[in-house]
Structure formats: C-alpha cells, structure tokens
Amino acid sequence: MSPTPLIKVPVITVDGPSGSGKGTVSQHLAAELGWHFLDSGALYRLLACAARRDGVALNDEAALVALVDRIDAEFTLSTGGTERVLLDGEDVTRALRGEDTGNAASQVAALPAVRTALLAWQHRYRRPPGLIADGRDMGTVVFPDAVLKIFLEARPDERALRRHKQLKEKGIEASLEEVLAEVRARDERDRTREIAPLEPAEDAHIIDSSDLDVDTTVALILEQIHTII
Ligand code: C5P
C-alpha cells in the first residue's frame, strides 16, 4: 500500500507595517473562511508585558527566552469581536494594546533568540481547516510555504490616523502627533533590524490600502483566495 500523502494545512499570510489594517483585514478573512487566526504581534506584545511585570530588561536575550517557556497565555474573542487576553491569569487586554507595549515589543522582536523561541508557539496555530497569519515575517520566515502571501502597505499619515482611532476606541489616550512619531520609530526599527526585517516576501502580493476601506481590501484578497482554493 502506498503511503498517504501528507497534506499540509493551508496558511495565508498577511504582513505589513503597523496601522496598515492587516489585523482587522485578517480577522475578517478568518471569519469569512472559518479558519484560525494568528495575531503574531500579540505574542511579542505579551512577552514585553511579562518582561515589564518580572523586571526583565528588554535586551536581556537569555532571560526573555526563558520567559517565553514560562508564559501561560489565553486569548479569547467574543462574538462581538471584543478581545480578552490573560497573562498567567491576569487580564492584560488594555496594557497589551498600548503604544508603549508596541514599542517594547519591537525591541524584544529585534533579538534573534527571542524570534527563534517564538517560532514553535506560532507554528502551533496551524490547525485544520486553515490559518490566517498576521505579522511582519509570516510569509518570509514563519510560514514560507503559505498558499497566498499578502503584504499590506499604507501611507504613514494614514496608518497613524488608523492607529489613533483604534487606540481611542479602546479608551487609550494619545495625541495624533505622538502616534505618528511612534509608528515611524517602530517601522524604522522593524524594517532595518538584521533578523526577519519587515519586507514583502518575493512571492507576496503587495496591496496599498491607503485609499481602500476594510471591506474593499477584504474583497480584493478574497478574490485572490478563490483563484487558488
Ligand atoms: O503587530 P503589532 O503592532 O502588534 O506588533 C508589535 C511589534 O511586534 C511590531 O512592531 C514588531 O516589532 C513585532 N513583530 C514582529 N514580528 C511579527 C509580529 C510583530 O517582529 N511577526
């Protein structure tokens, strides 16, 4: 008897800079297809929160790697789309989304051993019937065999506006100027770091969403998805 061929669970990756809309778009795609959803940025953010809680320095690579093994995280999404995140039983939902946590996340994300330590955690999200993976290096490093790779771009001013709106909706105060400065600083660090820099995979489809709303962007991607599955 010939062996059954191993069929890999399909993954669609959505990478891009902060505020490009990839999170919202990815959640819509996952809901539309009935697939799992990985918000990989949330894992880096959780690690940054755990480091702050335990007094671990953001450049202490060995201590951060050890922390990855100890973290017990729980993500839940209500049917209305409200997320709740528990870190070792403590509700960190609000702290997780703050710009200071995003900034700390991008510092730990620049450390090679931290990225390696987070690989297995991210791979565990690949479960049937499929996965929508949102991040910076989903198509280039974590899931290079994805069936479709999207890279979402948007102008920095537009991305700052979107981030500002999102933060306001979550009750987090910040001026637009502050958000624009944070977005630019974080992008600069993410794009220029030596390991897994933010860049489109060679086979990625690049979409500029500056002048597109969420529904139009989702529809454009679904069109591409339906040509392959
Ligand atoms: O996507 P989000 O803004 O939540 O990500 C926070 C930070 O985590 C990013 O600025 C980036 O430095 C890092 N990150 C990463 N690789 C990913 C996802 C996020 O380096 N796949």
Side-chain angles (χ1 to χ4, degrees):
M1 205 169 65
S2 58
T4 318
L6 238 173
I7 299 170
K8 280 205 143 184
V9 174
V11 180
I12 292 172
T13 56
V14 184
D15 287 306
S18 53
S20 58
K22 62 192 166 47
T24 313
V25 165
S26 299
Q27 283 182 35
H28 277 72
L29 290 172
E32 190 73 34
L33 298 169
W35 285 15
H36 298 282
F37 168 55
L38 165 62
D39 169 7
S40 59
L43 308 189
Y44 288 94
R45 284 173 181 264
L46 258 184
L47 179 59
C49 284
R52 184 167 44 207
R53 178 197 64 190
D54 293 1
V56 171
L58 298 178
N59 59 0
D60 188 341
E61 208 162 359
L64 288 165
V65 168
L67 201 49
V68 171
D69 287 335
R70 290 204 305 273
I71 287 179
D72 175 25
E74 196 184 317
F75 292 89
T76 51
L77 204 58
S78 74
T79 36
T82 311
E83 77 168 350
R84 187 155 177 261
V85 186
L86 300 181
L87 170 62
D88 299 323
E90 184 197 342
D91 191 333
V92 292
T93 315
R94 203 180 143 83
L96 196 77
R97 294 299 163 195
E99 282 302 278
D100 51 340
T101 304
N103 212 5
S106 109
Q107 291 179 54
V108 302
L111 304 173
V114 166
R115 303 199 72 87
T116 306
L118 284 179
L119 269 181
W121 191 358
Q122 297 174 84
H123 286 156
R124 282 199 291 276
Y125 280 80
R126 187 175 196 164
R127 294 193 306 268
L131 175 68
I132 304 291
D134 150 6
R136 304 290 189 292
D137 62 340
M138 298 294 99
T140 48
V141 176
V142 183
F143 300 109
D145 61 342
V147 289
L148 180 68
K149 299 178 185 178
I150 303 293
F151 193 86
L152 264 192
E153 277 284 12
R155 291 186 303 269
D157 56 329
E158 181 59 34
R159 293 193 283 113
L161 268 176
R162 291 177 188 173
R163 284 290 301 154
H164 188 246
K165 185 164 168 269
Q166 265 176 1
L167 290 173
K168 257 183 121 172
E169 281 166 6
K170 291 183 197 286
I172 301 171
E173 278 304 318
S175 75
L176 186 57
E177 290 72 37
E178 273 167 0
V179 175
L180 182 59
E182 293 265 18
V183 159
R184 284 190 194 279
R186 196 136 67 87
D187 284 356
E188 176 66 14
R189 191 182 298 124
D190 290 348
R191 287 186 202 268
T192 55
R193 69 182 173 215
E194 279 183 19
I195 176 134
L198 169 66
E199 62 183 3
E202 268 178 25
D203 48 350
H205 299 256
I206 299 175
I207 298 177
D208 186 333
S209 72
S210 303
D211 302 312
L212 304 177
D213 62 16
V214 172
D215 288 348
T216 313
T217 312
V218 170
L220 264 178
I221 300 174
L222 280 173
E223 245 174 56
Q224 304 220 17
I225 293 175
H226 292 315
T227 62
I228 51 166
I229 43 179

